[in-house]
Structures are given as C-alpha cells and as structure tokens.
Amino acid sequence: MSSRRRLGARWRRHRPLRTRLAVAASAAVALVAVGVCTAAFFVLRFELYHQLDLNLTQSATLAIQQNRGAAPGVLAGECRYLAAPACAQVVPADPADDPAKPYLLPVSPPVREVATGERRPYSTNITLPDGEPARMLTTPFGGSNSLQVALRSDTVRKGVSQAAWLMGGVGAAGVLLAGALGYWVSRTGLAPVARLTATAEHIAATRDPSHRIELPPGPPDKEDEVTRLATSFNTMLGELEQSVTAQRRLVADASHELRTPLTALRTNAELLARAERLTAAQRERASAALGRQIREVSVLVNDLIDLARDEEPVPLLEEVALAPLLTHTVDTARAHWPITPFRLELVDASVTLPGVPSRLARLISNLLDNAAKFSPPGAPVEVTLSAGELTVRDHGPGIAEADLPYVFDRFYRAEQARALPGSGLGLAMARQIARAHGAALTVERAAGGGAQFRLTLPRR
C-alpha cells in the first residue's frame, strides 16, 4: 500500500462518519460544479473564437473577390484600429518573390506551405507590430500564393477573460455551496443514526434497556433504510428488556424458592449434629427429611439450569415409540403416587416421534406429577395416546380462567397450589421440551371439572 493510501486510510479511521459523509458529498457536488464551469468556459471560448473565424472567412472571401491577380504585398493595413476592417496581405510561396515593402502580418513557413498547397487553411492568434492581439486566417489565394487576413481580437480576449473570472467565481460559489449542502446532508441523513448512537450509549451507561428511539410518523411500507434500522434496534431493545426482566425475575424467584428448602436443610443438619440428644426414631426421621430435601433442592437446581439455557441440548435424535415410553412413565408415576389411580388408553400404539427418550419421559412425568398433585385421593388421572396427540386429564379443582395464560410461566403457582409441594418449574420445563421436539403443549378446562393438558404432536 502506498503512503498516500495509508494516509487516506488513517484519515478515514480517525474521522467521524458525519465528517466523512460531509466531505464525500461536498467533494462530489464541488467536482460537478467545477466540471460544469470548466466545460462552460471552454464552450464559450470556442464560440467566441469561432464567431471571429467566421468573420475572417467572410473578409478573406471578399478580399479574394476584390483583388484577383494582385501581386504579393499588403492589400489592407487598417487592422491596427479596433473597429477597422480586416487587414490583408498576399504572400508568395517563394521568398524570392516577396515585395520590397515589409509585410504587416508575420510570415512563417506554414504560410508558404499553404501557398504551395502542402497545408490546409488555418487560424492562429498573433500579435501585431504595435503589440495588440489579433486573430489571423491563412488561406490559398491562387497562383502559388496565400492570403493572410487578420482582425483585432481585443474584444474576444476580453470576453474570454471575463468568462474565466465569471466561471471561476461560479465555481468557487459552487464549492462553498457544496460544502454547506454536504454538511446539511450529513447532519440530516445521520440524525437517526445519531439518535440510535445516543440511545445505545445511554443504555450502556445506565444499563436500562427501556429507552427507545423516536421514529418519524408514516406508514411502515415507506420507511427508509435508517428508519428500518431504528425500528430493528427498538425491536432488539424490546427483546433485551424482556430478557433482562425475565432474568431478574428468574433470579428473584429462584432465590425465593431456594430459601425454604435451604433453611430446612440447615435445620435438619444442625439437628443431626446433635444426634446424641435424639432418639433413634428422631434421628431416622431427621435423616429421611434431610435426604428428601436434598433431592428436592437437586431437582430444583437442575430445573433452573435447564430453564436458564432457554433451549434444549442437541444430542443425537432417535425415533421414539411413545406407547412403551408412556407405559413405563405411567408405571413410575403409580409407584410415586400410590393413592392416585392412573388410567392409560393407547388408541394408537404405533405413534413415534423423533426425539430424545429421556427428555420426552421428563415431559410426560411432569404432566403426570402435576395431575396427581391436584387430584383428590382416589380420583383417576386419565392418559390417552392417539394418532396426533397425547392428553393428560385430572379430576381436581381445575384451573381458573385468570390463571390459564400463566400456567406455563416459570415459578407461577395459582392460589390453590401454594400449599402443595413443588417449585412451579415442572410445566415450564414440559413446554420447553415440547417446543424443542416440534410439539405444542396447551391446557384447558376439562368438561365435568379438572384440567386437561394436550400435547399436539408434529405432523410427519
């Protein structure tokens, strides 16, 4: 990379985007303005000299018609005056034929070449003997002679000079206007970006994602790129705010749920530390309570870890037959809830689902535990597997209409469930596992009382 390129890259790296955009826009407009002024100057200059050349051509034609057969020498020498007619002279091809009287106009070798026919007629700028500028046309005269016709070009040169100053002033004004427009364009075009940057810096400083970027009014289908960027940023802030809120709620709920079992663990541990003061039966009860509470805390911590990831692990999937998995899970639930009868009906025992058997068993087990927990003693829990869905129904008090939207939220527990064991994570875990397997888990009030959970399997 050359030093010039390195310098340009260093300048771009150390200048803000607004400055770079202003310089780029100003340079583009200034380049166009200077280019237009330059082109206009050359066009005007060409037209002025072209008009003068037309006058010289007319004067030459008139001189040829009026002086046919004239000898070499000066024909008219009044062009030393600004308003005088064109001065003219005849020049022979051979210098030996030049007249004794000196020429008024300069004679150069190309003039002799025009006389011999070796060169085409041409026009050129000259200076008269008195130092005044003139325009001269050299054209064949006949008989190996050439005719030189000249007119004063003071007016044309003055017009060209005035045009140069005028175009230079217009170009300078265009450059200044380009700078102002470039600044305005950069300031106006980057205003949403500046607001976005200020919002991002404010959020970084305050750690408060509740702020939003103000969007201009208008239909969404007519938004420009910057407005769409601001809209996307606001959407991202909304998702971030929800995530932060959920994280804070998770931490608060987890600390609340862990406080009770940890307090019980500490109490039983301190009680067992004074085992010499307890009877054998008391020691056995304290030890059993300690083991049970350790298991509850372990389950709660594992659920928190799984839910905090907000996604399922991605092990190798296999085609899981739901009928034997459901039968095994129901048998395990019968052993865990001996006073609750479980009725299993396999309408379609051939149903399979790509997934992880252990996670699917966890989903079904959570649904069965929830149904058994709310079922009165002796009331059955009905489990039905059909071709497209799995339903689990209990005959308990059911779910209030106000609680239905929050059943699958983490740590949510209805009023009638606050006195029952559990942490409020089982149904949230079940829904997460269902979504990971492409299934939909819903709940509804069952006809005749109770709640019915419906796991809709994905279409194959």
Side-chain angles (χ1 to χ4, degrees):
M1 181 183 293
S2 63
S3 59
R4 182 178 300 177
R5 288 186 177 180
R6 287 196 299 269
L7 181 62
R10 191 180 302 112
W11 184 88
R12 290 191 299 270
R13 188 168 56 251
H14 291 86
R15 291 295 182 276
L17 177 61
R18 177 178 297 177
T19 301
R20 286 181 285 164
L21 181 59
V23 170
S26 302
V29 177
L31 183 63
V32 173
V34 172
V36 170
C37 290
T38 303
F41 167 74
F42 281 106
V43 170
L44 182 59
R45 179 177 179 273
F46 171 78
E47 289 297 330
L48 290 175
Y49 277 106
H50 180 65
Q51 187 64 36
L52 185 58
D53 290 340
L54 290 178
N55 293 337
L56 286 173
T57 302
Q58 293 177 357
S59 299
T61 302
L62 182 61
I64 292 174
Q65 292 175 355
Q66 293 177 352
N67 300 280
R68 293 185 182 277
V74 178
L75 300 180
E78 298 180 356
C79 62
R80 60 182 177 274
Y81 303 108
L82 189 60
C87 56
Q89 65 184 22
V90 178
V91 179
D94 188 359
D97 297 333
D98 287 343
K101 187 178 180 179
Y103 291 115
L104 176 64
L105 303 176
V107 178
S108 59
V111 177
R112 310 282 185 182
E113 295 175 359
V114 172
T116 59
E118 298 177 0
R119 186 183 178 95
R120 300 181 61 185
Y122 68 94
S123 299
T124 184
N125 295 321
I126 63 171
T127 302
L128 296 174
D130 57 1
E132 298 297 336
R135 182 77 170 174
M136 183 180 70
L137 171 65
T138 303
T139 186
F141 185 73
S144 298
N145 295 318
S146 62
L147 176 66
Q148 291 180 292
V149 182
L151 285 172
R152 290 278 293 273
S153 60
D154 305 54
T155 306
V156 174
R157 285 198 175 187
K158 184 178 180 180
V160 171
S161 178
Q162 291 176 347
W165 282 103
L166 178 61
M167 295 304 171
V170 173
V175 171
L176 295 178
L177 180 61
L181 290 177
Y183 175 77
W184 178 80
V185 168
S186 65
R187 185 177 182 84
T188 304
L190 294 180
V193 179
R195 292 196 298 269
L196 189 149
T197 303
T199 303
E201 291 174 349
H202 179 80
I203 293 173
T206 61
R207 297 181 179 273
D208 182 11
S210 62
H211 290 270
R212 298 293 185 270
I213 300 175
E214 295 183 4
L215 300 176
D221 56 340
K222 294 185 179 180
E223 294 179 348
D224 56 11
E225 290 78 2
V226 178
T227 305
R228 291 202 299 269
L229 174 62
T231 303
S232 300
F233 191 76
N234 283 343
T235 303
M236 183 186 68
L237 288 177
E239 296 294 334
L240 178 61
E241 183 180 8
Q242 293 180 3
S243 176
V244 171
T245 303
Q247 183 181 18
R248 291 173 180 173
R249 186 172 64 247
L250 176 63
V251 172
D253 292 341
S255 61
H256 175 74
E257 293 294 334
L258 285 171
R259 187 178 293 115
T260 300
L262 288 178
T263 301
L265 280 174
R266 181 179 178 180
T267 301
N268 287 316
E270 292 176 352
L271 184 63
L272 288 175
R274 297 189 295 271
E276 68 279 359
R277 302 179 184 180
L278 302 177
T279 64
Q282 291 174 334
R283 284 196 301 269
E284 185 177 354
R285 287 197 301 271
S287 178
L290 183 63
R292 183 173 61 256
Q293 290 156 1
I294 290 176
R295 286 193 299 271
E296 291 179 359
V297 171
S298 299
V299 172
L300 177 59
V301 171
N302 290 333
D303 289 343
L304 285 173
I305 293 175
D306 291 338
L307 288 171
R309 285 198 303 259
D310 200 26
E311 60 181 7
E312 285 289 295
V314 189
L316 294 177
L317 300 181
E318 59 181 277
E319 198 70 23
V320 180
L322 292 184
L325 179 67
L326 190 59
T327 301
H328 173 74
T329 309
V330 169
D331 291 341
T332 304
R334 289 191 178 112
H336 188 66
W337 303 91
I339 63 174
T340 301
F342 289 85
R343 297 176 182 175
L344 175 60
E345 182 180 1
L346 301 177
V347 178
D348 187 353
S350 63
V351 178
T352 61
L353 177 66
V356 183
S358 60
R359 303 303 293 171
L360 292 175
R362 178 72 176 277
L363 185 158
I364 300 171
S365 176
N366 287 356
L367 295 180
L368 296 178
D369 289 343
N370 180 81
K373 183 169 59 176
F374 288 98
S375 293
V381 172
E382 301 172 1
V383 183
T384 305
L385 175 64
S386 60
E389 64 181 17
L390 168 67
T391 59
V392 177
R393 182 200 170 169
D394 61 66
H395 292 268
I399 303 175
E401 289 290 342
D403 295 329
L404 282 176
Y406 311 104
V407 168
F408 297 104
D409 290 351
R410 301 170 184 175
F411 295 107
Y412 182 79
R413 305 182 73 181
E415 291 294 335
Q416 64 269 23
R418 296 189 183 277
L420 298 176
S423 62
L425 295 177
L427 294 181
M429 177 65 66
R431 183 180 62 173
Q432 179 173 300
I433 298 173
R435 287 179 176 177
H437 287 78
L441 180 60
T442 57
V443 63
E444 58 192 13
R445 295 170 62 88
Q452 179 171 278
F453 288 83
R454 188 183 306 274
L455 180 66
T456 304
L457 304 178
R459 294 183 178 181
R460 303 298 299 276

